[in-house]
Amino acid sequence: MVIPPPNVTGVLHMGHALTNTIQDILVRWRRMAGDNSLWLPGTDHAGIATQAQVEKAIAKEGKGPTGKPLTRHDLGRDQFVSRIWKWKEDHGTQINQQLKRVGSSLDWSRERFTMDEGLSAAVREVFVSLFEKGLIYRGERIINWCVRCRTALSDLEVIPLERKGHFWHLIYPVVDESSHPLLDSQGQPVQLVIATTRPETLLGDTAVAIHPEDERYKSIHGKKVLLPLLGRLIPVITDSYVDREFGSGALKITPAHDPNDYEIGNRHNLSPIWVIDEEGKLKSCPEVPPEIQGLDRDEARIKTVEMLEKQQALVKISDHVHNVGKCQRCGTTIEPLLSEQWFVKMEPLAKDAIAAVNDGRINFVPERWTKNYLGWMENIRDWCISRQLWWGHQIPAYYHNVTGEMVVAKENPDPKNYTQDTDVLDTWFSSGLWPMSTMGFPDVEAEDFKKFYPTSVLVTGFDIIFFWVARMITLGLEFTGKAPFSTVYIHGLIRDEHGQKMSKSKGNTIDPVEIIDKYGCDALRFTMTSLCTYGGQDIKVSDERFEYGRNFANKIWNASRFVLMNLEGVDNKAIDFDNLTIADKWMLDKLNSTSKEINENIKNYRIGETAHILYDFFWNSYCDWYVEIAKIQLQDETQKANTQRVLKYVLDMALR
């Protein structure tokens, strides 16, 4: 097994505690079964999160040349990256120490980091290979842009949140071939009313689209409309994407700032117009009125609406509930931007990743997650892998300083004349290679690779099936021909006692280290395991629930102390099966049947059921029944020695 690598600068949370406890159970069980078992530790460099931490730290150190707080740009790339490495060395061991406190029996001699030289070599090998196969390309497409983190994000890093907003209903006057207002049969101007949730983007409109079969607009096919505020002429186009039932049935097309508009624009050869920049501000360009230039998106919206009202181009404002994309890291509203980025063609890679699950090479437990995985993979989109950061694996593409010629290679072909691409790779690109790269890939003759790849089981939460699990499967199959693991065990997410997701902003998090300090590590582990369900439902926890685990740990302690106190004079002989009492026979039979039940349940990843069986066996069968009977048998000299042997043997087996 490989550990799902936590962020190098992170701290242990309840999700980590649960995942690592389950993995620890599985690996200890396998070791006791005599298997050659490896549980490999490591951490992820976590590009956006780690860079943000260090940027906050240097901002507190003083002012830069402009008088504003110090930024990475004041330090320069090399010095800033050096600072992050130092930060990693100073803070990177915290999570490992906390994992040890949870009792995780990892092989620390094999600890890896996603930016170790060996793992970086694997990243370069895979990138160059995919590029040469035509599966990585650089192109212009609409991407998710975070104006705060100043980087592109993949679709998975955008959280859709429902928000109350508005529709602004705007008038787009229709004109004839001579650019004069088009009049209807009553001599009235023909006007298209278009509803939009983002009036500030109309400045980048390049067309208005209507459905080709919408009878209401048949008369204006091929005509043009006047863009409000600017008076620019834009065409009326027909496209079957338009929903005739939504709004007025007419759609403003802004190819540079909306993914669907971009696709429509490509179909109709519309040239995109950028009006919002990477900072989320209105650009200084001819398409943007001077009074709006430089304003933030929200400020520009207010100003645009005021100007539309003055021009009498605003018909009405209506309430509208819609989803707004938020950056997973900082919560800033995402800005769709047309940008040149690096992408992986996912459809060809997804084919074998789908087949591997369908033909049983990979099994999801619980099985219900198979449908989620397949549904996403069958509708997969190209993966934007470039990030405008300084911390991470720098993209191995090099540009000639004079000609601009691009070379993709594992090393710079000529450092004097070629400059490396400034972007870095999405963190999930390197973690997608984790089961391979940690075992020595691209050296397929490495001892660990030959012995331990493919791995056996992956344990994780359902929230990163698409971020991580799917990408490990696609890349593993593509580069080794083997599925990186045969089983994916998915557990539920940890939620508070009211079923809400834990977050610092809500103030409802539970610190596992504090639970260990208060109740003990065993209490934490046993309580968490007992709450697992085979269906993988989310787990509700509160501070008080750990009393259950503490009480059980106390019971084990007290029972063990009683047994050890009553072993005086015991020999090391085997149990005398010819002289067992009825109670002894019942206890050993119960131990044997429970052992079989436990093995079967762990084999089938029924972790929660295992905990309940253990609780019932130890508390009820062993302590409440056998130990009490043993107290009487210990008074009988003819039964004492054999009773001691049975007590000791059952305690030893129960603890195992």
Side-chain angles (χ1 to χ4, degrees), residues 62-349:
K63 306 281 187 186
T66 61
K68 294 181 179 179
L70 203 63
T71 70
R72 60 185 165 114
H73 299 284
D74 297 321
L75 298 181
R77 184 167 191 147
D78 290 344
Q79 191 178 342
F80 180 71
V81 171
S82 295
R83 288 291 299 270
I84 298 182
W85 276 108
K86 185 176 187 309
W87 176 274
K88 182 256 178 187
E89 296 305 319
D90 293 344
H91 300 267
T93 58
Q94 182 178 7
I95 189 119
N96 288 346
Q97 296 307 316
Q98 292 177 330
L99 285 171
K100 291 174 183 177
R101 287 206 66 189
V102 178
S104 300
S105 58
L106 290 143
D107 183 351
W108 293 104
S109 69
R110 282 180 166 88
E111 184 185 354
R112 306 307 300 267
F113 176 53
T114 49
M115 286 184 63
D116 285 348
E117 181 45 46
L119 277 67
S120 296
V123 168
R124 293 192 296 272
E125 173 82 22
V126 167
F127 185 97
V128 172
S129 176
L130 289 174
F131 179 80
E132 290 173 348
K133 292 175 183 177
L135 294 172
I136 279 183
Y137 65 94
R138 191 169 187 237
E140 201 174 74
R141 282 183 49 183
I142 287 277
I143 49 95
N144 304 299
W145 181 267
C146 177
V147 300
R148 185 181 179 279
C149 299
R150 302 283 175 84
T151 183
L153 302 174
S154 71
D155 291 343
L156 291 171
E157 293 166 305
V158 178
I159 309 300
L161 293 177
E162 197 174 80
R163 192 173 75 175
K164 291 180 180 178
H166 299 94
F167 261 145
W168 284 268
H169 299 258
L170 311 177
I171 296 172
Y172 284 55
V174 183
V175 298
D176 60 21
E177 291 76 6
S178 303
S179 300
H180 295 125
L182 186 68
L183 304 178
D184 62 17
S185 56
Q186 278 78 42
Q188 297 300 312
V190 178
Q191 297 176 333
L192 269 180
V193 175
I194 294 175
T196 177
T197 58
R198 301 194 67 194
E200 70 280 6
T201 64
L202 71 83
L203 305 168
D205 286 0
T206 58
V208 169
I210 53 179
H211 195 281
E213 297 172 8
D214 194 333
E215 293 296 331
R216 294 172 295 175
Y217 301 121
K218 286 282 187 182
S219 64
I220 62 169
H221 286 196
K223 297 287 192 294
K224 292 185 178 180
V225 294
L226 281 172
L227 190 62
L229 301 186
L230 299 178
R232 188 171 75 237
L233 286 172
I234 58 175
V236 176
I237 61 173
T238 58
D239 197 286
S240 56
Y241 170 80
V242 179
D243 184 353
R244 285 174 280 181
E245 307 302 319
F246 188 73
S248 65
L251 184 68
K252 62 189 281 300
I253 305 300
T254 319
H257 298 286
D258 182 277
N260 297 316
D261 292 2
Y262 175 69
E263 298 297 333
I264 294 171
N266 278 347
R267 288 198 289 273
H268 296 272
N269 297 313
L270 300 174
S271 298
I273 299 172
W274 286 264
V275 292
I276 299 175
D277 66 16
E278 288 86 353
E279 295 181 18
K281 294 178 179 179
L282 274 289
K283 295 180 74 172
S284 297
C285 61
E287 290 78 17
V288 179
E291 54 266 58
I292 304 178
Q293 293 178 10
L295 293 183
D296 176 81
R297 303 176 282 184
D298 297 327
E299 296 172 320
R301 178 173 301 173
I302 295 167
K303 186 68 176 175
T304 302
V305 171
E306 288 176 0
M307 293 169 70
L308 287 165
E309 283 182 303
K310 286 180 183 177
Q311 198 185 77
Q312 297 184 325
L314 179 65
V315 178
K316 64 175 181 177
I317 303 172
S318 58
D319 293 335
H320 177 60
V321 177
H322 61 135
N323 282 331
V324 176
K326 299 283 185 178
C327 174
Q328 184 197 36
R329 290 291 177 192
C330 69
T332 302
T333 299
I334 290 301
E335 184 61 46
L337 279 182
L338 187 57
S339 177
E340 192 169 47
Q341 302 286 340
W342 289 91
F343 296 89
V344 178
K345 288 182 183 175
M346 290 304 295
E347 190 178 353
L349 292 170

Side-chain angles (χ1 to χ4, degrees), residues 234-500:
I234 58 175
V236 176
I237 61 173
T238 58
D239 197 286
S240 56
Y241 170 80
V242 179
D243 184 353
R244 285 174 280 181
E245 307 302 319
F246 188 73
S248 65
L251 184 68
K252 62 189 281 300
I253 305 300
T254 319
H257 298 286
D258 182 277
N260 297 316
D261 292 2
Y262 175 69
E263 298 297 333
I264 294 171
N266 278 347
R267 288 198 289 273
H268 296 272
N269 297 313
L270 300 174
S271 298
I273 299 172
W274 286 264
V275 292
I276 299 175
D277 66 16
E278 288 86 353
E279 295 181 18
K281 294 178 179 179
L282 274 289
K283 295 180 74 172
S284 297
C285 61
E287 290 78 17
V288 179
E291 54 266 58
I292 304 178
Q293 293 178 10
L295 293 183
D296 176 81
R297 303 176 282 184
D298 297 327
E299 296 172 320
R301 178 173 301 173
I302 295 167
K303 186 68 176 175
T304 302
V305 171
E306 288 176 0
M307 293 169 70
L308 287 165
E309 283 182 303
K310 286 180 183 177
Q311 198 185 77
Q312 297 184 325
L314 179 65
V315 178
K316 64 175 181 177
I317 303 172
S318 58
D319 293 335
H320 177 60
V321 177
H322 61 135
N323 282 331
V324 176
K326 299 283 185 178
C327 174
Q328 184 197 36
R329 290 291 177 192
C330 69
T332 302
T333 299
I334 290 301
E335 184 61 46
L337 279 182
L338 187 57
S339 177
E340 192 169 47
Q341 302 286 340
W342 289 91
F343 296 89
V344 178
K345 288 182 183 175
M346 290 304 295
E347 190 178 353
L349 292 170
K351 289 177 181 175
D352 200 20
I354 292 169
V357 172
N358 282 329
D359 64 25
R361 279 176 283 164
I362 299 172
N363 293 291
F364 279 85
V365 180
E367 199 273 335
R368 68 189 179 95
W369 291 111
T370 302
K371 184 177 179 181
N372 293 61
Y373 168 84
L374 292 175
W376 188 71
M377 293 297 284
E378 287 163 0
N379 296 281
I380 200 162
R381 297 169 64 178
D382 287 358
W383 171 19
C384 177
I385 54 169
S386 46
R387 298 291 180 267
Q388 288 63 53
L389 304 171
W390 287 356
W391 174 240
H393 294 100
Q394 203 166 340
I395 286 175
Y398 307 89
Y399 305 93
H400 194 277
N401 297 336
V402 177
T403 67
E405 174 206 16
M406 183 182 77
V407 175
V408 172
K410 296 172 194 174
E411 304 294 339
N412 191 329
D414 181 0
K416 288 183 179 179
N417 293 306
Y418 281 82
T419 301
Q420 189 168 2
D421 197 306
T422 56
D423 287 354
V424 300
L425 284 162
D426 178 10
T427 299
W428 297 101
F429 190 91
S430 52
S431 58
L433 307 176
W434 188 246
M436 303 187 296
S437 60
T438 54
M439 302 296 178
F441 179 87
D443 180 6
V444 294
E445 295 302 316
E447 185 179 345
D448 277 1
F449 187 84
K450 290 195 290 185
K451 187 184 292 185
F452 292 116
Y453 187 88
T455 63
S456 305
V457 60
L458 179 80
V459 178
T460 189
F462 68 78
D463 54 332
I464 55 173
I465 291 176
F466 310 126
F467 276 112
W468 190 45
V469 180
R471 286 160 179 172
M472 284 190 286
I473 293 172
T474 53
L475 294 170
L477 288 165
E478 176 69 16
F479 285 92
T480 70
K482 299 175 183 177
F485 27 73
S486 53
T487 301
V488 182
Y489 174 66
I490 302 290
H491 59 72
L493 298 186
I494 306 295
R495 299 188 181 274
D496 69 12
E497 58 190 315
H498 305 295
Q500 292 188 320

